[in-house]
Amino acid sequence: MGNGSHVQLLDPKDIKEPNIDELELQEWVEAFDAVVREEGAEAARRILQQVRERAMVAGIEEPFTANTPYVNTIPAAYQAPFPGDVEMERRIKSLVRWNALAMVVRANRVEHNIGGHISTYGSAATLFEIGFNHFFRGRTDEFEGDTVYFQGHASPGVYARAFLEGRLSVAKLENFRRELKPGGGLSSYPHPWLMPDFWEFPSVSMGLSPIMAIYQARFNRYLENRELKPRTDAKVWAFLGDGETDEPETLGAITLASREKLDNLIFVINCNLQRLDGPVRGNGKIIQELEAAFRGAGWNVIKVLWGTDWDPLFERDTEGLLLKRLGEMVDGEFQKLVVESGAYVREHVFGSDPRLLDMVKDIPDEKLRTMRLGGHDPRKVYAAYKEAVEHADGPTVILARTIKGYGLGESGEGKNVTHQQKKVDEEELRHFRTRFEIPISEEQIVETPFYRPPEDSPEIKYLQARRQELGGYLPSRKVRSKPLAADHSELFKEFATGSDGREVSTTMAFVGMLRKMLRDPEIGKLVVPIVPDEARTFGMESLFRLVGIYSSRGQLYEPVDMHTLLYYKEAKDGQILEEGITEAGSMSSFIAAGSAYATHGINAIPFFIYYSMFGLQRIGDLIWAAADTRCRGFLLGGTAGRTTLSGEGLQHQDGNSHVLALPIPTLQAYDPAFAYEVATIIEDGIDRMYKKGENIFYYITVMNEPYAMPPMPEGSREGILKGMYVFKASSNTKSKLRAQLFGSGAILREVIHAQEVLEEKYNVAADVWSVTSYKALYTDGMQADRWNLLHPGEKPRVPYVSQCLADKPGVLVAATDYLKALPNLVTQWMPRRLASLGTDGFGRSEGRTSLRDFFEVDYRFITLATLHELLRDGKIQASVVEKAIKDLSIDTEKPNPLTS
Ligand SMILES: Cc1ncc(C[n+]2csc(CCOP(=O)(O)OP(=O)(O)O)c2C)c(N)n1
Ligand SMILES: [Mg+2]
């Protein structure tokens, strides 16, 4: 003690273990046990709470933990009884296991290295089967059914089950991963694009299916709150790997799920403690880490760690010794137990304390080694699922401990190499067959045949009865919506007349269209505007009041701008999905809405508008997943163009997105310059997607540069949609100096300006083309080439670009706000050489004029490029070009934007 004025702290080395009387401690615990036993959980909880409050008042700090001990969340005594036939379900599961294994093994025999995974499903089998036999409800006329995102690498198990259900033939199984064989095969992973009658959701790019599932569950509630579908208790299930949780998208949106109280959402994390290379957290505990993250985020967490075999041990563990020991062990040690002997388990888990050893003294080594884990125990998994589906008020995550490669015995279980195991030798197959009691003879085993018991076998009858009871098979995909019927051309008519000199941006024009669409009797309700905290940037705030911002809780406060006309109106039936700053979340909403025509039979029309730089570049993989999902809808790249978005600089200025749109086959990419072009594209898009049922979606860039919108030129509709048309032909038909100038988006106006300068100052007669889509031109050219390649004897098809330019004289010059690669895509179908101007390089914080000078895409450079082309053709002298450089004040020593 100090001298009275302050408390002297003890030197850490002098701190001793507190001397609590063991007997006293025991009395406290026994008293508590008695309360639990005699007065129940609620009374116990109150006592704990009081004691904790007392401790706090007394200044006794408890170390923070979001964790519970390393045991099952549901104590054995509270576990719901298993309603099924355990033995029958075990036999069915064994058959699925066998066929899944056979599928991968056979595929690799026929074609070495074709791949496939057996160990993921090995660990997930019970998790899936309990779902199939007891929980996943199929779609019926009365009930929309549950939605399931299957762990992608476990696909062989899903196929094997569909085979037992009689939904997939032997021939299909035979062609697993060999989709190009006659009659078709099975895709490696869940891909709705490849198997549109089977898979609903792609899930193999790790981390995407969890975030898509969260937003799917949220979108289901949105549809209900907006009365577009009846409220049901349908669930969204997402099965994921524990390694998968390292992807930022996996955990990135979990607070949305709890905030929105999504009790229609259940995550099941297959915690086999391994990923591809090795342990997920060798030196830690992934399950505890995930528990803390999900509990902290407000989820209901159910840990399913230990199987029934362990129940008696925990019952005997009155002193909490086993609990403590299991809490100390790290995942690397748990994984080792899987590959070691029973004696090793005894020594390493129980050997630290004679009382622990005593606990297991009657359990033989072999039994000790194989004591089942929670995720492989149907009773435990069932009880967890039951609690999850009954949990109200929020989402549930089930953390199920499993063994990777379960069933593969010594060759695979728990081994670090097991993820990629696809070959199994004869001995191991024999062992597997015997362990799972598959009726395949010694002679047949070498062949590894698929096995399906007869239709009237108890197994098939049981399995079919279960599925019938649950409303049919799953996964199963079907387009349930009817095509739109009404004519919507009236909505878009006004944009064909131009803006009468009023300066508007294409973004403003788009918002005008959106407003009209929202009021339309047929499509008004179906439109789903999605914004990631960017509505004001795009001038969309007027829509807040018009249709409201969706909020499952309505509006619990008076908004600060209540007195204004355009106040921030949140409403339970609000239509706008104001997602906050998450392009990934917004895109997941887009996917849920864009696939609702199949999932819900509702022709939802999503319009997701965002900063164009943060779309294809940032969330390209989700956009790829949208294509795989056969999504429909519109992506609007706002504030687009490298030089059009002034001031924002390197990170924001987008000169890439139209190039990044190229690889996505179903994405129709347009870079329109005028309101009538935007209107024409959207009107046609609605027609193609929602009337003709095409599985395409749109990417349209819109700009924030205001200018007068011209009226739509006569006969330009087809060209706008096909990718190019003459916007303004030269009126000078006499000049010998001719040029064809191609412009897109905001740069089209620079081209028009160059046309005037060329004509007035240099006597060059130039036609101006608006190129609305290089991607469309490129695709069309490739189609023609391919047809010609395969039909040498027939009249060759002429690509649209070639048709357009067939008798157009002069040099060719293109200018774009994107990479030069974009116009260069189509040079192969042009009659002559093309000079391309584009914005390759890093952007700058500057105004538009300076930016266009810096990137060399303004009218001056277009003029220069045109003159230079004429020089190369020998039509003018170098001195003319040199003089032009001076007249146009072009700095020939300026930095190169490509490298600076
Ligand atoms: C985005 C992404 N990165 C990498 C992969 C490759 N990959 C496939 S499975 C896998 C390991 C999966 O581990 P885990 O999530 O724990 O699942 P498990 O197979 O163990 O059940 C990896 C790295 C992928 N599919 N997606
Ligand atoms: Mg894993």
Side-chain angles (χ1 to χ4, degrees), residues 69-88:
Y70 204 60
V71 285
N72 293 345
T73 306
I74 306 174
Y78 291 90
Q79 194 176 304
F82 186 71
D85 178 338
V86 169
E87 179 47 28
M88 178 64 73

Side-chain angles (χ1 to χ4, degrees), residues 663-688:
I664 300 164
T666 55
L667 188 60
Q668 315 298 306
Y670 286 94
D671 183 19
F674 299 126
Y676 66 82
E677 293 180 349
V678 179
T680 305
I681 295 159
I682 293 182
E683 185 190 351
D684 187 59
I686 290 177
D687 192 58
R688 287 180 66 185

Side-chain angles (χ1 to χ4, degrees), residues 871 876-885:
L871 167 68
I876 58 175
Q877 301 290 317
S879 58
V880 178
V881 186
E882 279 168 346
K883 181 164 184 308
I885 289 176

Side-chain angles (χ1 to χ4, degrees), residues 241-243 270 272-275 280 404:
D242 47 0
N270 174 8
N272 52 29
L273 314 187
Q274 290 178 243
R275 43 179 164 74
V280 179
K404 190 145 178 167

Side-chain angles (χ1 to χ4, degrees), residues 120 151 153 204 206 241-244 247 272 274 404 419:
T120 300
Q151 201 184 348
H153 295 80
V204 83
M206 314 239 104
D242 47 0
E244 184 171 9
E247 289 286 2
N272 52 29
Q274 290 178 243
K404 190 145 178 167
H419 186 85

Side-chain angles (χ1 to χ4, degrees), residues 483-704:
L484 293 183
D487 174 17
H488 305 107
S489 53
E490 270 305 315
L491 292 175
F492 301 96
K493 261 198 183 128
E494 76 171 67
F495 301 97
T497 56
S499 64
D500 247 350
R502 202 166 54 92
E503 296 202 332
V504 291
S505 65
T506 46
T507 306
M508 286 162 75
F510 161 71
V511 174
M513 287 167 219
L514 190 58
R515 197 178 296 118
K516 292 194 87 173
M517 286 186 275
L518 284 163
R519 291 204 181 107
D520 181 82
E522 188 184 34
I523 61 176
K525 270 191 159 277
L526 300 172
V527 168
V528 182
I530 305 170
V531 276
D533 197 29
E534 228 40 276
R536 291 182 201 280
T537 314
F538 305 127
M540 289 170 69
E541 58 269 48
S542 64
L543 302 183
F544 290 169
R545 179 70 197 280
L546 182 68
V547 290
I549 295 163
Y550 173 71
S551 157
S552 57
R553 311 182 68 185
Q555 192 153 33
L556 306 176
Y557 62 97
E558 185 178 298
V560 286
D561 49 3
M562 187 70 180
H563 56 282
T564 65
L565 201 61
L566 306 177
Y567 77 93
Y568 196 83
K569 180 185 164 195
E570 299 195 66
K572 203 161 175 176
D573 62 352
Q575 196 160 350
I576 301 171
L577 287 172
E578 161 66 89
E579 301 292 20
I581 312 166
T582 166
E583 283 76 13
S586 305
M587 191 61 207
S588 301
S589 279
F590 178 91
I591 294 171
S595 56
Y597 71 93
T599 319
H600 297 290
I602 297 170
N603 280 312
I605 311 175
F607 287 88
F608 170 25
I609 182 159
Y610 55 89
Y611 242 111
S612 72
M613 192 61 155
F614 304 129
L616 281 143
Q617 174 152 295
R618 184 171 182 131
I619 49 159
D621 203 15
L622 274 165
I623 299 179
W624 184 258
D628 190 348
T629 313
R630 300 176 161 252
C631 273
R632 300 172 184 169
F634 296 91
L635 301 174
L636 282 302
T639 51
R642 184 100 72 200
T643 67
T644 305
L645 178 59
S646 61
E648 288 291 324
L650 179 151
Q651 184 71 73
H652 288 69
Q653 291 161 346
D654 167 34
N656 315 339
S657 64
H658 277 288
V659 176
L660 299 175
L662 291 172
I664 300 164
T666 55
L667 188 60
Q668 315 298 306
Y670 286 94
D671 183 19
F674 299 126
Y676 66 82
E677 293 180 349
V678 179
T680 305
I681 295 159
I682 293 182
E683 185 190 351
D684 187 59
I686 290 177
D687 192 58
R688 287 180 66 185
M689 295 185 287
Y690 297 97
K691 289 188 183 173
K692 301 201 174 88
E694 285 190 57
N695 293 310
I696 53 175
F697 63 133
Y698 282 71
Y699 176 56
I700 305 172
T701 37
V702 285
M703 278 88 53
N704 61 346

Side-chain angles (χ1 to χ4, degrees), residues 120-172:
T120 300
Y121 181 68
S123 59
T126 303
L127 303 178
F128 283 15
E129 278 300 300
I130 293 297
F132 279 123
N133 282 326
H134 300 279
F135 291 94
F136 305 156
R137 292 161 299 176
R139 286 194 171 82
T140 63
D141 291 340
E142 295 79 43
F143 179 65
E144 62 175 305
D146 295 324
T147 303
V148 186
Y149 292 75
F150 290 99
Q151 201 184 348
H153 295 80
S155 60
V158 181
Y159 291 139
R161 178 164 240 275
F163 167 65
L164 290 186
E165 290 168 348
R167 299 202 290 148
L168 291 176
S169 64
V170 167
K172 284 275 186 195

